[in-house]
Amino acid sequence: MLIWVNVHGGFLLAFVLLGIFGLGSVWTWLRLKESRIEESLQKIAAGKRVRQITLVGLASAGASLVNPYGWHLHAHIYSYLSNRFFMDHIDEFQSPNFHGIAQRCFLVLLLVTIAALACRGKWLRLSQTLLMIFAVYTALYSSRNIPISSIFLATIVGPLISLPVTKGFVRRMGVMDSTRRGHLWPVIATVATLMIALNGGRVGSTSLMDAHFDAGRMPVDAVSFVAQSGVHGPVLSPDYWGGYLIYRLYPRNEVVIDDRHDFYGEPFLRSYLTMMHVEPGWEDFFKWVRDPQQNTGVEACLFR
């Protein structure tokens, strides 16, 4: 948690997962009776899990405060995610468009999940059911959640639809792991991949990794022209190009906007979208980026 909270705002997901599994353990503890020895042992184990999850949650909550902003970071993330304008206008927070390949893959996984529940749903624990509901809701609410939701669903549905051939594979992998054979190959593969990456993706004269940006998605040639043209002022481009421009042009050029929308605030983003859609008052956006003292403003614009 100490590392997570200082590198990505998704650390809040840890508390959601702790809450889900904590509720599952509490439900198991409440549901079990002590009339039989087997249930008594299960009840003791469930109570132990509740205590462990509670301690981990408290420790994680304390660790999440160890960041440059303290509790203000949590407040900032809450205000960002609860801002309806951001949620309604930022593309990655929109519900998925199932015409894309990634969205179609998730749709297939969702259909498989429904089929698995119809056949073997009674085998699910409460924590698995809650996690599945959370995964489906978050993925359908925002397309940016599809990758992590897919992982959650796969870990739940996979055991429900396991076939004899997959059971045999899992058993063989378990035997290999228990006998500690074959562990050297992943280490060798990891070290080899790292060495190839450090060598620019090449092995001798053969290129195995392409570390270049796709010119079809990013303004590679245009940014190269700006870098060679002597422009030193702010550069305006669509927000989804902003990160690439920062990578290529910083620190010589400032970027007017990038996709870290919470840093800019709602008024700035509203004005930016008005300019992008060429709506009445679009020219007011350039007042945001003009420095009246130095009489400078946007010096280059990159659009497609």
Side-chain angles (χ1 to χ4, degrees):
M1 177 58 70
L2 186 60
I3 297 176
W4 196 357
V5 72
N6 284 280
V7 297
H8 196 273
F11 72 92
L12 294 178
L13 177 63
F15 298 105
V16 175
L17 296 179
L18 286 171
I20 288 175
F21 286 100
L23 285 175
S25 297
V26 170
W27 170 252
T28 301
W29 183 81
L30 293 174
R31 181 176 56 85
L32 290 173
K33 307 297 182 181
E34 298 184 5
S35 56
R36 294 186 302 174
I37 296 179
E38 181 180 356
E39 290 192 353
S40 297
L41 294 176
Q42 292 177 353
K43 189 178 182 72
I44 293 173
K48 183 178 180 180
R49 285 197 301 273
V50 171
R51 292 191 295 272
Q52 290 174 339
I53 292 175
T54 301
L55 291 176
V56 170
L58 292 174
S60 298
S64 70
L65 297 174
V66 184
N67 66 80
Y69 307 100
W71 65 269
H72 295 285
L73 175 63
H74 303 67
H76 173 76
I77 295 175
Y78 173 78
S79 64
Y80 176 52
L81 296 179
S82 60
N83 187 301
R84 296 312 314 167
F85 179 80
F86 285 155
M87 298 300 104
D88 293 339
H89 291 83
I90 297 176
D91 288 343
E92 64 179 355
F93 287 114
Q94 303 302 300
S95 297
N97 180 352
F98 289 102
H99 291 276
I101 183 63
Q103 292 80 1
R104 290 182 181 180
C105 291
F106 176 76
L107 181 59
V108 171
L109 178 59
L110 187 57
L111 294 176
V112 171
T113 300
I114 295 174
L117 288 178
C119 297
R120 307 188 65 180
K122 64 180 181 180
W123 299 103
L124 289 180
R125 299 188 299 271
L126 176 62
S127 58
Q128 292 176 312
T129 302
L130 293 176
L131 181 58
M132 183 177 58
I133 294 173
F134 172 75
V136 173
Y137 172 78
T138 54
L140 295 180
Y141 178 81
S142 171
S143 58
R144 70 169 295 167
N145 297 323
I146 285 181
I148 189 65
S149 295
S150 299
I151 294 174
F152 290 155
L153 291 180
T155 58
I156 296 172
V157 176
L160 296 180
I161 60 174
S162 58
L163 302 175
V165 62
T166 59
K167 291 181 179 179
F169 174 78
V170 172
R171 184 170 57 253
R172 291 193 300 272
M173 291 299 100
V175 172
M176 179 182 295
D177 188 69
S178 62
T179 56
R180 303 187 64 82
R181 293 184 303 166
H183 288 67
L184 184 60
W185 291 110
V187 175
I188 294 176
T190 301
V191 173
T193 302
L194 180 61
M195 293 180 64
I196 294 173
L198 292 176
N199 194 41
R202 305 183 66 86
V203 176
S205 60
T206 304
S207 178
L208 298 180
M209 299 180 182
D210 185 4
H212 300 87
F213 288 92
D214 183 4
R217 297 184 57 191
M218 296 296 173
V220 177
D221 295 333
V223 173
S224 297
F225 174 80
V226 171
Q228 299 171 5
S229 64
V231 174
H232 294 280
V235 180
L236 173 63
S237 72
D239 56 346
Y240 49 83
W241 283 352
Y244 174 71
L245 266 64
I246 293 174
Y247 173 75
R248 289 287 307 276
L249 300 177
Y250 182 83
R252 189 182 67 177
N253 295 91
E254 294 182 355
V255 172
V256 175
I257 189 171
D258 61 82
D259 54 6
R260 297 171 297 177
H261 305 98
D262 53 321
F263 289 175
Y264 296 93
E266 180 180 336
F268 185 89
L269 187 60
R270 283 182 179 273
S271 182
Y272 163 76
L273 292 176
T274 299
M275 182 272 299
M276 290 293 293
H277 298 155
V278 198
E279 297 174 349
W282 64 269
E283 65 277 6
D284 293 339
F285 172 74
F286 292 92
K287 297 178 182 178
W288 287 89
V289 296
R290 183 174 181 80
D291 188 341
Q293 295 182 349
Q294 300 184 9
N295 195 28
T296 59
V298 175
E299 290 196 16
C301 295
L302 301 181
F303 290 95
R304 177 181 296 170

